[in-house]
Amino acid sequence: MSADRSGPVLVLILGDQLSPALSSLADRHPDDTVVLMAEVMDEATYVRHHKAKIALVLSAMRHFAAELREAGWNVDYVELDDPANTGALTGELARAVARHGARGVQVTEPGEWRLRQAMEQWRTDLPVRLRVLPDTRFICPLPDFYAWAAGRKELRMEWFYRDMRRKTGLLMEGDKPVGGRWNFDAENRAGPEPGATFPVPPHFAQDSTSSAVIALVQQRFSNHFGTLDNFCWPVTRAAAQALCMHFINKRLPHFGRWQDAMVTGQDFVFHSLLAPAINLGLLDPLDICRAAEAEYHAGRAPIEAVEGFIRQIIGWREYIRGMYWLDMPGMATANHLDAHRPLPDFWWTGETKMRCLSEAVRTTRDNAYAHHIQRLMVLGNFALLAGLKPAEVADWFLAVYADAYEWGELPNVAGMALHADGGRLASKPYAASGAYIDRMSDYCGSCAYKVKLKTGPQACPFNALYWHFLARNEGKLGRNPRLAQPYANWRRMSEEKRTETLASADAFLATLEPAEPGWARQA
């Protein structure tokens, strides 16, 4: 480390840290600071991200750099096509330290384990001091989460969520929850209603910056999954706030009851679509929760809608982030159920006769988006029942969704969807037959398979796969109290019926063609 440097402090801002109140900027002054932002191939390709996700991040980065410059900051911005670009954050940081004669580097902690490990190496490799600051955009600091988790026999989101309600005061009357209950999830499980209409999300026109980025992505990432034809994500703070107000005014009142419903051709239903902007840093999660709470107090949105939305943000979002850092790096390789089937090719092509899965893949391809029930109870449920490799499923989810960063994606896939962590995150596997999908969607009526049939080539594959999953994992799941009834039902079946069911599942599994290697992550 050099002792005679007198240059500025270099503040590195990552692509998902686009917040003016970022901790790495909080104690700095523009007169003595250079902000470094760099578009690098490593970050676009460590998994082969959806074209729309890359376009979203790069465009939002460029707009945020302009925002910082307008606020008086000296921004050193390295574009992807800069001939001197090394293609890696490490290389760009080293070049910038030398270019500016920086006396120190500071950065807000990253959201992903791999980058945190890289930063530890920077402490050794850089000729200046590195300062890594907590990410204050989250409501629960990681040390607080670790303290909450310490010594608990079971870690459950519901108990954490109640503590977060108390901490924030959201939907609280003193020390009691508004409405006398902490959780209104039971009111939030309505299936689709025939003839229902849904508000159209606002469309954000592309300015010259976004148009240039989209052209760049089309050229440089043409072999990546997805399309840019429907690109409509907000890439500025003002646009993200406009989308937030659209949700608060048009969607929130109906969000709760129908948040789990799936409707053919209706990709957004009443969902907020705010997760990409929140995870990029364009919106403050606590501000959004307070805006939703105000709608309840004003009588414009029912408690089940507002509580359900707030729970997703201060409960689930904060909880999975804490669990990610608590359980890494083991979470990335967890495979409690010994699932080893390769990811099927149709997860990329959408070419399957199963209507629910073809719709989930279609909206993912078109929008870099599918809502949480499509992800959990269609895609995740199929991956669980079919025994797909957790690492391949996690890579796919990380690659294809605009809001996906490993801190949020991996716990949802490995823990919530695939039970790969053995139940540490969720108390039971989220396994379901075709009856659940039929109840929560309109997919089954137009599907080539028959949801009422239990076995055979015309039967909904989810039906036999459900029992196949339970049977092959009975040694590990048979004593789970939340699965006592399904296992009792399985054991009551005749030997002939069980044999027929397993054979039907095996016949379907034999038809699955594995995807070619390299679609999600290069070897």
Side-chain angles (χ1 to χ4, degrees):
M1 181 180 292
S2 173
D4 59 357
R5 288 177 178 263
S6 57
V9 169
L10 191 67
V11 173
L12 172 64
I13 294 181
L14 304 177
D16 60 346
Q17 297 180 343
L18 310 183
S19 305
L22 199 66
S23 60
S24 54
L25 290 172
D27 65 347
R28 302 303 313 154
H29 190 278
D31 291 345
D32 193 29
T33 303
V34 172
V35 174
L36 172 66
M37 299 179 69
E39 303 170 0
V40 295
M41 285 296 291
D42 275 4
E43 294 305 301
T45 59
Y46 72 95
V47 293
R48 294 160 64 91
H49 296 288
H50 193 297
K51 295 186 187 78
K53 182 179 181 181
I54 299 173
L56 168 63
V57 174
L58 297 188
S59 183
M61 286 176 66
R62 293 185 184 189
H63 282 94
F64 184 63
E67 183 182 335
L68 289 176
R69 290 189 181 107
E70 288 183 12
W73 295 96
N74 178 11
V75 181
D76 181 355
Y77 194 96
V78 183
E79 294 191 356
L80 193 71
D81 277 351
D82 186 328
N85 192 328
T86 64
L89 282 175
T90 298
E92 289 314 296
L93 183 58
R95 286 204 311 132
V97 167
R99 186 161 60 245
H100 298 287
R103 70 176 188 272
V105 172
Q106 67 184 43
V107 61
T108 295
E109 63 187 356
E112 300 195 353
W113 176 267
R114 64 185 178 85
L115 285 179
R116 193 67 174 89
Q117 297 307 108
M119 287 183 184
E120 291 307 310
Q121 188 61 41
W122 295 350
R123 294 188 188 279
T124 300
D125 294 347
L126 289 177
V128 296
R129 176 176 176 264
L130 172 69
R131 186 182 180 209
V132 180
L133 298 165
D135 191 344
T136 54
R137 297 175 302 165
F138 287 91
I139 300 165
C140 181
L142 288 175
D144 290 3
F145 186 87
Y146 300 152
W148 175 85
R152 290 177 181 263
K153 186 176 181 180
E154 279 191 331
L155 302 178
R156 292 291 173 257
M157 190 277 287
E158 180 65 25
W159 308 117
F160 171 79
Y161 166 58
R162 294 181 185 187
D163 285 347
M164 293 296 286
R165 288 271 294 276
R166 295 183 184 101
K167 175 179 179 177
T168 61
L170 288 164
L171 294 178
M172 296 294 292
E173 293 175 335
D175 62 350
K176 302 294 183 182
V178 167
R181 289 160 53 189
W182 293 100
N183 187 314
F184 289 81
D185 199 37
E187 284 85 348
N188 292 342
R189 296 171 183 166
E193 290 188 354
T197 59
F198 308 98
V200 177
H203 178 78
F204 300 101
Q206 297 169 15
D207 61 10
S208 59
T209 298
S210 290
S211 296
V213 165
I214 287 173
L216 173 69
V217 173
Q218 293 280 33
Q219 177 186 13
R220 296 293 298 273
F221 305 98
S222 61
N223 61 346
H224 281 221
F225 176 74
T227 177
L228 286 162
D229 295 345
N230 302 318
F231 185 85
C232 62
W233 295 109
V235 295
T236 66
R237 196 166 319 282
Q241 289 168 345
L243 181 61
C244 180
M245 292 313 299
H246 167 82
F247 169 68
I248 293 293
N249 295 328
K250 303 291 186 181
R251 294 172 176 266
L252 177 61
H254 306 289
F255 165 75
R257 185 178 179 190
W258 288 290
Q259 66 174 292
D260 290 356
M262 298 175 282
V263 182
T264 303
Q266 295 290 340
D267 297 343
F268 309 121
V269 197
F270 290 109
H271 288 271
S272 76
L273 311 181
L274 298 178
I278 295 172
N279 290 350
L280 279 173
L282 298 180
L283 293 173
D284 180 270
L286 193 54
D287 286 348
I288 297 170
C289 289
R290 287 174 176 148
E293 180 189 39
E295 293 301 291
Y296 166 72
H297 288 305
R300 292 188 291 264
I303 184 65
E304 62 269 20
V306 174
E307 186 277 319
F309 178 68
I310 287 175
R311 177 164 21 98
Q312 288 188 355
I313 294 180
I314 71 168
W316 194 245
R317 183 176 186 268
E318 296 282 331
Y319 182 71
I320 61 169
R321 186 245 186 172
M323 290 298 295
Y324 173 79
W325 286 104
L326 187 67
D327 285 359
M328 281 296 281
M331 182 182 286
T333 56
N335 193 357
H336 176 71
L337 299 180
D338 295 319
H340 298 289
R341 187 176 303 279
L343 197 76
D345 185 62
F346 77 75
W347 276 54
W348 296 109
T349 67
E351 295 174 1
T352 172
K353 294 190 297 180
M354 289 176 284
R355 186 60 178 268
C356 58
L357 282 158
S358 67
E359 271 292 288
V361 174
R362 180 200 58 75
T363 184
T364 300
R365 180 189 63 240
D366 290 353
N367 306 305
Y369 173 84
H371 73 65
H372 69 280
I373 294 299
Q374 291 171 310
R375 298 190 202 192
L376 176 63
M377 297 307 300
V378 176
L379 293 159
N381 185 27
F382 180 87
L384 175 71
L385 300 185
L388 304 188
K389 295 179 182 178
E392 289 192 8
V393 179
D395 279 350
W396 186 87
F397 273 88
L398 183 58
V400 302
Y401 290 119
D403 59 357
Y405 299 90
E406 193 181 68
W407 63 264
E409 169 273 326
L410 184 59
N412 271 306
V413 171
M416 184 76 164
L418 302 185
H419 207 70
D421 63 352
R424 183 159 163 83
L425 190 110
S427 59
K428 77 173 184 69
Y430 277 78
S433 68
Y436 174 86
I437 297 170
D438 190 28
R439 185 167 66 252
M440 299 310 302
S441 78
D442 65 357
Y443 297 149
C444 299
S446 57
C447 184
Y449 294 103
K450 307 302 180 186
V451 72
K452 302 299 184 184
L453 294 180
K454 305 304 181 186
T455 59
Q458 297 302 311
C460 171
F462 279 94
N463 293 336
L465 287 175
Y466 175 77
W467 296 113
H468 192 279
F469 165 77
L470 290 178
R472 73 175 184 267
N473 291 296
E474 187 167 6
K476 293 180 177 178
L477 299 176
R479 295 185 178 180
N480 186 313
R482 297 189 65 187
L483 294 175
Q485 189 60 51
Y487 274 113
N489 293 340
W490 173 248
R491 294 170 191 131
R492 280 195 294 267
M493 285 185 196
S494 67
E495 184 66 27
E496 180 183 9
K497 184 62 175 177
R498 288 199 298 266
T499 300
E500 178 186 356
T501 300
L502 296 179
S504 184
D506 284 332
F508 171 79
L509 292 170
T511 69
L512 298 180
E513 293 289 337
E516 292 186 12
W519 260 106
R521 189 186 295 264
Q522 296 283 7

